[in-house]
Amino acid sequence: MATGAAIAVENVSHHYRPPKKRPVHALDQVSLEVGDREFVALLGPSGCGKSTLLYLIGGFMPIESGSIRVNGNLVTGPGPDRGVVFQHFALFPWKTVLGNVLYGLENIGVPREEARERAQKYIDMVHLTGFEDAYPNQLSGGMKQRAAIARTLAIDPDILLMDEPFGALDAQTRGLMQEELLSIWQRTRKTVLFVTHDVREAVYLAERVVMMTARPGRIMESVDTRFDEAGPGVMDRPEFVEKASYIWNRIKGEAIATVAARAS
Amino acid sequence: MVATACRYSPLLLLALMWEAAVRTGLISDLVLPPFSAAVEGWWDLAVTGDLFPQAFASLRRAALGLGLAIALGTTAGILMAWNAKIRVFINPLIQMFYPLPKSALIPVTILWFGLGDMSKIVLIFIGCLLPIVVSSFNGARGVEDVLVWSARSLGASRRQVLWQIVVPAAMPEILTGIRTALAISFVLLVSSEFIIARDGIGFMIAGFGEEGVYDRMFACIMTVVAMGFFADRLFQLFMRRVLIWRE
Amino acid sequence: MTSDGAAPRVALPDPGAVALSALFWKVAPAIPIVGLFALWQILSASGAFNPYLMPEVPAVFRRVALELVNGEFLLNAGATLYRALAGFLIAAALAVTIGIAMARIRIVHWFFDPILSVGFPMPKVAFLPVFMLWFGAYDASKITLIAFASFFAIAVNTVAGTQGVDRHLVWSARSLGASERKILWTVILPAALPQILTGFQIALPLAMIVTIVTEMLMGGVGLGGAMIRAQRFADSIGVFSGIVQIGFTGFVVIFTMRWLRRRLLSWHEEAKR
Ligand SMILES: Nc1ncnc2c1ncn2[C@@H]1O[C@H](COP(=O)(O)OP(=O)(O)OP(=O)(O)O)[C@@H](O)[C@H]1O
Ligand SMILES: [Mg+2]
């Protein structure tokens, strides 16, 4: 089944089965295609299974039904072709920032000198210069997140799976990092699947926004969000504002459903 | 330096109270030699007698037993966390032997391995093994999934994950387990040397106690106390170095 | 890249084989224990070892059963448990009191802090001849030593637990008008309880180890004394049945402690795990 899609998710469902508790139906018959070099944002209420979907594509958990293909191959395990930025950073606490960034480079066999250079380049890029020898415990939440982003970008994966990568950043850094991500994407044309809660961020960064329903997560709608104009200025354009508010309203209903479900 | 002296000054106070209580006759010197006599006894033993060789013999037993327990215990604990099938076979044995107060094995180790070093080393090994296995297992099992996942997506193989992620992530608990085992090793050492032995610091304490040479008995007790204290202090320093990332 | 690890469900294996392997993994935990006893029995029956060093398994369990029936086990275990628990409880009462006082009163902290830091790691059994000298070879010296051996671990953990109580909890209780005494009982003690119980859980096995040692050295009624007597009379079946009995007693003590912890901390999040 050779499609041109970089990521092809077909009828995937997922249950969590915590010991001695009721199973949680996290994903229900999800199908999603992300084209080669496409930038897709995934939006949905909290707890709808966005992270779960990303973990399945990453190959971290067994797929219980349906199938996931990456570049045409069935996913059966993790690999450095899919770089993952985790929601909660997942930095190795016993390694310094530099050690964390070097880690993947060493694994994929980059020679020492070149690895050092590349690591430094990405550390500089996320504005952590001077913190190379700091341990994760000595960093703020936003700094940890930037270190995690540098670690993933450094191994230059074809596909980027990013789980709210900018969630812990302040507004200014967030803006800078968004521009940085866009310019990397434009330069290297990676395939990006980007989970976020921020509607404007999704509409601004992505070519396409995919919305999910509340738990059990299903794909609700997919909206094209390409605009003629590039750059942050686009956010003030009427067509941008219109798209964003359309998506916002669609998501809001689901969010209310989630809150109501929690309360009951 | 001054701060340390200040911190430990109550110990000096305690020693002075001890001295004074005996000197004033509040406590009979038949049951408690004055502190100064114990210090003198220590000095005599140190320069003329064989305090240091005996203490060294004891330390060697503890170190060998503990060292073996660390080597085997950490391996077993991590393997148990790593592989559910291994766990199924080791866990019942641990559940069975964990609650046994290990001093109950003293007669058997003597039966099997004689009065010399071997029986003590084996006893200490067994006594230290389980706390180390259990803490290594808990540490290795508590490793967060996302750490393993991110290593895997950064190109690490399953075996590399074991060495590069599981072991360092489990290190705090492993070291805590070893510290517990260190304390147990001294308890079992002294106990087994009390009960049946031919030499060692515990043997000396028991011997002087039976002969009624109490100043020397107290000298040897203070030596053991110091040994336990400094071993633990050194290990804590080591722990802090290894775990600087936790600050 | 996309290989190994968890494979997707493609073909379902034969259901009969699945049931069989499920059954196997259900009984698997019994295998190492049964295997251990079987190995022992084979070795001792083979005559490769002196039966004195390795008595046969049925003989040992017959002895255990016999002493269970004739009341010897209950008598000895009762004496051992009495000493262990008496010493442990005395230590717990003293250590918790002193630990809390240390966390709240400066001079108490100054005095006891170095004593704890030396006392915690030292092998307390080394003082056994001292207590024998002072209190004789009977229960008084045994219980004193057991209390002494348990004291430090509990005190150290009480101090750590009490000092670690979230200041905001105390402040909010104070602003809600609670008296200092009430804060102690309703805020500080419950908040420090998990760690105090951890101290108990470290001290109790130590208390058991020391109890057995004191009984071995001073004789008298008790599991340790019975065992050392068996050894003197070259009764190796008695020695091994002693291990079984002591192991069982230790098991009961440790599981009671775990049960107590679960009961006392049912409000705590660790109970939900
Ligand atoms: N390990 C787990 N065990 C049991 N249930 C889980 C587990 N992980 C997630 N869940 C449940 O599965 C559902 C989906 O979780 P997931 O983390 O994928 O949501 P999400 O969309 O990423 O949410 P958020 O936006 O808050 O990160 C949630 O309702 C969650 O409670
Ligand atoms: Mg999530």
Side-chain angles (χ1 to χ4, degrees):
Chain A
M1 192 183 72
T3 58
I7 303 171
V9 179
E10 239 184 290
N11 292 325
V12 164
S13 300
H14 191 82
H15 292 82
Y16 284 101
R17 302 179 197 283
K20 292 185 213 152
K21 280 187 204 142
R22 278 191 299 146
V24 179
H25 193 178
L27 290 178
D28 184 39
Q29 298 282 323
V30 169
S31 295
L32 170 71
E33 285 203 353
V34 181
D36 196 22
R37 300 163 178 214
E38 194 182 11
F39 195 134
V40 170
L42 200 54
L43 268 176
S46 179
C48 74
K50 305 180 292 293
S51 299
T52 307
L53 182 56
L54 231 63
Y55 296 159
L56 290 171
I57 299 172
F60 305 122
M61 302 190 296
I63 297 164
E64 59 176 36
S65 73
S67 69
I68 299 180
R69 282 166 196 276
V70 166
N71 293 325
N73 303 319
L74 275 177
V75 169
T76 53
D81 54 334
R82 283 149 291 155
V84 184
V85 178
F86 289 93
Q87 188 169 6
H88 301 292
F89 327 134
L91 289 171
F92 306 128
W94 55 88
K95 284 182 180 291
T96 60
V97 169
L98 182 63
N100 267 283
V101 180
L102 278 175
Y103 181 81
L105 294 169
E106 281 162 4
N107 280 334
I108 59 173
V110 179
R112 187 173 289 269
E113 273 302 302
E114 192 192 333
R116 283 289 314 234
E117 254 165 56
R118 241 160 93 176
Q120 191 62 51
K121 182 179 124 192
Y122 283 97
I123 289 173
D124 294 343
M125 194 189 87
V126 298
H127 309 288
L128 281 177
T129 319
F131 289 95
E132 290 84 357
D133 295 326
Y135 285 100
N137 281 354
Q138 301 163 329
L139 303 180
S140 73
M143 290 160 86
K144 280 184 208 162
Q145 198 153 44
R146 282 181 275 149
I149 293 170
R151 181 176 71 175
T152 304
L153 290 178
I155 59 166
D156 195 24
D158 294 336
I159 296 176
L160 272 177
L161 304 172
M162 308 181 92
D163 197 352
E164 301 185 34
F166 304 152
L169 301 184
D170 59 281
Q172 285 82 12
T173 323
R174 194 177 182 128
L176 286 175
M177 295 296 295
Q178 285 173 352
E179 292 310 316
E180 203 64 65
L181 178 63
L182 269 186
S183 99
I184 288 174
W185 176 66
Q186 275 150 6
R187 262 186 324 207
T188 61
R189 279 289 164 172
K190 292 179 191 304
T191 305
V192 182
L193 184 57
F194 185 98
V195 172
T196 175
H197 275 137
D198 183 335
V199 175
R200 283 164 59 83
E201 179 173 84
V203 176
Y204 174 58
L205 290 177
E207 297 178 295
R208 186 152 66 88
V209 172
V210 173
M211 289 175 271
M212 287 177 72
T213 63
R215 197 179 78 200
R218 279 182 228 100
I219 302 294
M220 184 163 67
E221 193 179 340
S222 167
V223 179
D224 190 309
T225 50
R226 279 172 297 185
F227 300 99
D228 299 334
E229 188 185 328
V234 75
M235 284 192 253
D236 300 324
R237 305 276 303 222
E239 59 264 39
F240 182 98
V241 174
E242 195 184 323
K243 276 258 162 73
S245 73
Y246 170 74
I247 291 172
W248 173 246
N249 282 321
R250 290 285 279 151
I251 294 282
K252 196 165 79 178
E254 285 301 319
I256 291 170
T258 317
V259 174
R262 290 269 156 77
S264 67
Chain B
M1 212 45 219
V2 175
T4 314
C6 229
R7 182 172 172 213
Y8 286 100
S9 57
L11 291 178
L12 190 68
L13 194 70
L14 218 55
L16 287 176
M17 276 160 58
W18 170 0
E19 183 78 23
V22 184
R23 295 254 171 217
T24 57
L26 202 65
I27 300 175
S28 154
D29 62 356
L30 289 179
V31 296
L32 184 67
F35 177 66
S36 51
V39 173
E40 253 172 66
W42 189 87
W43 182 250
D44 287 348
L45 279 177
V47 294
T48 63
D50 44 7
L51 180 66
F52 290 120
Q54 301 272 6
F56 182 76
S58 292
L59 270 183
R60 194 170 148 265
R61 290 168 181 162
L64 283 173
L66 182 62
L68 280 174
I70 292 173
L72 194 76
T74 49
T75 314
I78 291 172
L79 283 180
M80 274 171 68
W82 189 240
N83 187 315
K85 291 181 181 161
I86 297 177
R87 174 158 70 244
V88 170
F89 289 108
I90 303 185
N91 203 28
L93 293 176
I94 290 179
Q95 296 296 331
M96 190 166 88
F97 282 108
Y98 191 81
L100 173 73
K102 300 302 174 299
S103 45
L105 296 176
I106 293 175
V108 179
T109 53
I110 290 168
L111 210 61
W112 283 354
F113 301 102
L115 306 183
D117 278 347
M118 202 45 159
S119 59
K120 278 94 201 166
I121 295 172
V122 170
L123 178 75
I124 292 167
F125 165 72
I126 298 175
C128 295
L129 186 64
L130 291 192
I132 296 177
V133 173
V134 171
S135 65
S136 310
F137 170 68
N138 287 337
R141 217 164 77 133
V143 178
E144 284 177 70
D145 280 344
V146 285
L147 291 186
V148 174
W149 293 352
S150 69
R152 294 279 279 146
S153 78
L154 290 166
S157 66
R158 268 174 71 83
R159 175 181 301 220
Q160 280 175 321
V161 166
L162 182 61
W163 281 108
Q164 297 170 349
I165 309 303
V166 177
V167 171
M171 201 47 87
E173 285 219 41
I174 294 177
L175 292 178
T176 310
I178 294 178
R179 193 175 164 214
T180 310
L182 182 67
I184 292 177
S185 75
F186 272 97
V187 173
L188 291 178
L189 175 75
V190 174
S191 305
S192 62
E193 288 180 348
F194 272 177
I195 289 173
I196 305 181
R198 287 188 301 233
D199 56 1
I201 192 88
F203 173 76
M204 286 176 87
I205 296 175
F208 287 132
E210 272 160 33
E211 292 164 25
V213 191
Y214 295 125
D215 51 351
R216 295 198 167 185
M217 177 181 91
F218 272 95
C220 292
I221 292 176
M222 291 189 313
T223 311
V224 172
V225 168
M227 277 159 59
F229 175 72
F230 285 113
D232 186 66
R233 265 299 126 97
L234 276 180
F235 188 73
Q236 270 186 299
L237 279 182
F238 170 74
M239 254 176 104
R240 217 165 290 153
R241 295 231 20 189
V242 174
L243 303 179
I244 37 172
W245 52 270
R246 276 210 309 186
E247 295 286 287
Chain C
M1 291 202 181
T2 44
S3 59
D4 76 1
R9 291 245 190 95
V10 187
L12 281 173
D14 170 27
V18 170
L20 208 65
S21 96
L23 184 71
F24 173 76
W25 289 114
K26 209 159 233 146
V27 300
I31 293 172
I33 293 182
V34 173
L36 185 75
F37 285 126
L39 184 73
W40 181 286
Q41 177 59 18
I42 289 166
L43 282 179
S44 70
S46 75
F49 295 91
N50 185 337
Y52 175 61
L53 296 184
M54 242 185 158
E56 297 197 28
V57 176
V60 172
F61 279 99
R62 233 176 290 133
R63 175 70 65 86
V64 174
L66 175 73
E67 296 191 345
L68 203 61
V69 175
N70 71 13
E72 193 136 330
F73 170 68
L74 278 185
L75 187 70
N76 286 327
T80 299
L81 276 179
Y82 157 70
R83 291 171 193 136
L85 293 184
F88 177 79
L89 289 177
I90 293 170
L94 278 175
V96 171
T97 314
I98 290 178
I100 289 175
M102 278 175 71
R104 299 175 64 79
I105 306 167
R106 242 234 192 96
I107 185 154
V108 178
H109 187 273
W110 170 79
F111 184 74
F112 280 103
D113 175 56
I115 294 177
L116 290 190
S117 79
V118 172
F120 182 60
M122 77 185 178
K124 271 74 70 179
V125 261
F127 286 83
L128 188 142
V130 178
F131 290 126
M132 266 173 89
L133 173 65
W134 289 348
F135 306 116
Y138 299 100
D139 274 1
S141 63
K142 291 176 188 162
I143 292 174
T144 317
L145 182 68
I146 295 162
F148 185 63
S150 320
F151 171 83
F152 294 93
I154 306 175
V156 163
N157 279 284
T158 305
V159 176
T162 317
Q163 281 177 337
V165 173
D166 185 357
R167 284 181 306 164
H168 301 99
L169 284 181
V170 178
W171 289 347
S172 79
R174 210 168 272 159
S175 77
L176 290 167
S179 65
E180 287 302 310
R181 162 178 294 234
K182 187 163 179 204
I183 289 175
L184 177 64
W185 285 102
T186 58
V187 179
I188 294 178
L189 264 180
L193 192 59
Q195 194 151 10
I196 295 176
L197 290 175
T198 301
F200 285 9
Q201 282 177 310
I202 297 172
L204 200 51
L206 274 175
M208 290 298 291
I209 289 181
V210 171
T211 308
I212 300 298
V213 173
T214 56
E215 291 180 349
M216 283 178 173
L217 277 164
M218 302 188 215
V221 182
L223 293 170
M227 196 175 187
I228 215 76
R229 269 197 303 283
Q231 197 203 19
R232 289 221 182 95
F233 292 118
D235 168 18
S236 73
I237 296 176
V239 171
F240 283 94
S241 86
I243 294 182
V244 174
Q245 294 172 356
I246 293 173
F248 177 74
T249 311
F251 179 87
V252 170
V253 167
I254 284 186
F255 273 77
T256 311
M257 189 67 223
R258 275 191 208 162
W259 173 82
L260 199 69
R261 182 182 183 107
R262 259 205 307 279
R263 280 301 301 267
L264 287 174
L265 296 185
S266 53
W267 52 271
H268 197 264
E269 51 191 319
E270 74 171 35
K272 298 193 185 75
R273 267 189 255 136

